[in-house]
Amino acid sequence: MCDSFVDCPPLGLESMRVHDSQIRASSTLRTGLGPHRGRLNIQSGIEDGDMYDGAWCARHEDKNQWLEVDAVHLTKFTGVILQGRNSIWSWDMVETYKVQLSNDSYKWQTCMNGTQEAIFQGNLNTETPVLALLPVPTVARYIRINPQTWYSNGTICLRAEILGCRVKDPTDIYASEEDRVSNDNLDFRHHNYKDMRTLMKSVNDECPNITRIYTIGRSYMGLKLYVMEISDNPGKHELGEPEFRYVAGMHGNEVLGRELVLNLMQYLCQQFKEGNERIVRLITETRIHLLPSMNPDGYEVAYEKGSELAGWADGRFSYEGIDLNHNFPDLNNIMWNAQEKALEKSQDTSKVPNHYIPMPESNQALPPFPYLNTVT
């Protein structure tokens, strides 16, 4: 059975590879506890009744409730991983359950253990994932988790992952469709500060002739603000060559921009090596600067809290409570001009407090890079 677990990985409820449309349930307690929330390690909101809550929960408390997953293709199912509901207010979990399998979602067969229907052990607490392997790996398209008993002072709630391997089926009308995975050799996952540094170093090691890593300082908590430079002459200003900078992660808990910039580093490196004409021209005619995390302090706070809506403000601001995305000077701002005039009496016009950023010596002064685009 251990070999089956190794050979058959998770279908992807946790990773979102399994789409919401592939998950159904017998009933739903409310919208925020629908079948789309029955994913392993999904997190709840901090408010009781949040529309993005921490599990699938059934409306009825009986043995006829189920959570169903459509694998789309014939799949050799080998096991189930179960958790209870993630909540600071409730204690809900399934203690025992059955597994049912089907090829058409109409006729179901219960997984057997010899001559008896198999009863699988679920959770003793809400957070510890519990793996149960099927007595015999079974091929089907659909699988259901059918709770039999649950915590006496709670209700039927669960988060799950399914283990299975796709098998060839000549009658499968979807056989020609690719699985929902990328063919690009990119590192698609969340990266905390340590992982981000490791990825940037790997890109630099892979393409040392066109990349350079430097820092623009440290965060309040002492984390370096790393920048990846991509150019045919890294480290050098070339007369007449435009420079471009992408800044991401100003809101520490908004991770998409951070991951897109990290993926962009990998993509530019790989495509340059493969001779992609567009990328080669871009790198040879433009000096590119990529800052993936302007607010690493905030990211670490949000990363420790977990995914989903564990508080919209957790990690959004800097450690000092500043919203970095609203923290840029505007050289044409009426307020700036007024501040400049107000300080003329003191004969000190070199610095004006405008969103924490010193005023340049001249309003015509250019920022360090001609272009600044932000991805929050």
Side-chain angles (χ1 to χ4, degrees):
M1 289 302 174
C2 291
D3 290 339
S4 297
F5 169 63
V6 172
D7 293 341
C8 291
L11 288 186
L13 274 77
E14 180 181 14
S15 67
M16 303 294 289
R17 182 180 176 189
V18 173
H19 192 267
D20 286 350
S21 63
Q22 295 173 244
I23 311 173
R24 299 174 59 239
S26 53
S27 65
T28 296
L29 187 59
R30 56 179 172 78
T31 302
L33 294 167
H36 63 295
R37 304 298 293 175
R39 300 174 181 274
L40 194 72
N41 289 321
I42 207 162
Q43 304 293 299
S44 68
I46 60 173
E47 301 294 337
D48 191 23
D50 197 299
M51 66 179 296
Y52 298 105
D53 220 322
W56 161 68
C57 292
R59 177 180 293 276
H60 311 292
E61 294 186 17
D62 59 49
K63 295 183 179 181
N64 297 319
Q65 305 306 304
W66 43 261
L67 181 73
E68 175 187 312
V69 177
D70 176 6
V72 180
H73 310 281
L74 280 183
T75 301
K76 180 176 72 174
F77 293 109
T78 61
V80 174
I81 304 175
L82 214 66
Q83 278 178 313
R85 177 181 176 182
N86 175 263
S87 174
I88 61 176
W89 307 104
S90 306
W91 189 262
D92 302 314
M93 58 190 169
V94 171
E95 295 177 334
T96 63
Y97 62 97
K98 295 180 181 179
V99 172
Q100 300 171 333
L101 301 162
S102 174
N103 289 325
D104 57 13
S105 78
Y106 294 102
K107 297 178 181 179
W108 293 87
Q109 292 185 347
T110 301
C111 183
M112 304 296 289
N113 188 4
T115 59
Q116 297 182 335
E117 294 184 344
I119 301 293
F120 298 94
Q121 296 300 311
N123 300 103
L124 298 178
N125 62 62
T126 59
E127 289 301 324
T128 303
V130 176
L131 167 66
L133 296 176
L134 305 189
V136 178
T138 305
V139 174
R141 172 174 168 175
Y142 302 88
I143 185 170
R144 281 181 177 176
I145 299 170
N146 174 215
Q148 297 297 295
T149 61
W150 44 93
Y151 180 60
S152 58
N153 291 328
T155 189
I156 299 175
C157 295
L158 63 86
R159 294 173 286 168
E161 181 61 87
I162 306 297
L163 305 180
C165 300
R166 179 178 171 181
V167 298
K168 292 183 178 180
D169 177 14
T171 67
D172 186 359
I173 63 174
Y174 302 108
S176 61
E177 293 188 6
E178 299 271 341
D179 284 340
R180 290 189 177 99
V181 294
S182 171
N183 292 325
D184 293 323
N185 185 25
L186 302 178
D187 189 4
F188 286 109
R189 61 186 176 90
H190 286 192
H191 295 78
N192 63 11
Y193 184 73
K194 180 179 179 181
D195 293 336
M196 180 188 73
R197 291 195 309 173
T198 300
L199 186 149
M200 293 178 71
K201 184 178 186 303
S202 70
V203 173
N204 182 234
D205 290 342
E206 185 177 352
C207 295
N209 58 320
I210 61 167
T211 64
R212 178 178 72 100
I213 299 174
Y214 65 94
T215 70
I216 60 170
R218 293 178 181 267
S219 69
Y220 185 89
M221 298 301 293
L223 301 179
K224 291 183 178 180
L225 305 179
Y226 288 104
V227 181
M228 170 74 75
E229 177 191 344
I230 303 178
S231 167
D232 60 336
N233 289 299
K236 297 180 181 179
H237 290 281
E238 297 183 71
L239 185 64
E241 182 171 274
E243 302 197 27
F244 185 94
R245 176 172 59 179
Y246 260 134
V247 177
M250 295 181 184
H251 294 159
N253 61 353
E254 296 177 6
V255 301
L256 179 60
R258 178 185 184 128
E259 298 307 324
L260 288 175
V261 170
L262 291 175
N263 286 156
L264 179 59
M265 294 176 191
Q266 299 174 81
Y267 179 79
L268 292 175
C269 169
Q270 293 170 11
Q271 293 300 304
F272 184 87
K273 291 176 62 178
E274 293 178 10
N276 183 315
E277 291 184 7
R278 182 183 182 189
I279 300 304
V280 170
R281 180 179 178 185
L282 181 67
I283 292 175
T284 55
E285 296 183 4
T286 310
R287 192 179 184 208
I288 302 168
H289 304 262
L290 303 177
L291 171 57
S293 184
M294 191 172 181
N295 183 8
D297 295 348
Y299 182 96
E300 294 303 301
V301 170
Y303 184 85
E304 290 297 323
K305 282 292 186 76
S307 61
E308 298 304 314
L309 301 181
W312 72 270
D314 291 332
R316 176 182 175 89
F317 308 104
S318 72
Y319 186 88
E320 298 170 289
I322 299 172
D323 187 339
L324 300 181
N325 193 43
H326 297 165
N327 194 39
F328 287 95
D330 182 354
L331 299 183
N332 298 314
N333 191 294
I334 295 176
M335 181 179 293
W336 192 312
N337 294 334
Q339 290 173 331
E340 182 182 25
K341 291 179 180 178
L343 290 182
E344 286 179 354
K345 295 180 181 179
S346 66
Q347 303 301 313
D348 182 9
T349 59
S350 62
K351 291 185 179 181
V352 175
N354 182 280
H355 295 287
Y356 309 95
I357 297 177
M359 182 177 177
E361 294 294 336
S362 169
N363 281 3
Q364 303 302 317
L366 291 175
F369 305 100
Y371 303 100
L372 174 62
N373 282 325
T374 61
V375 184
T376 60

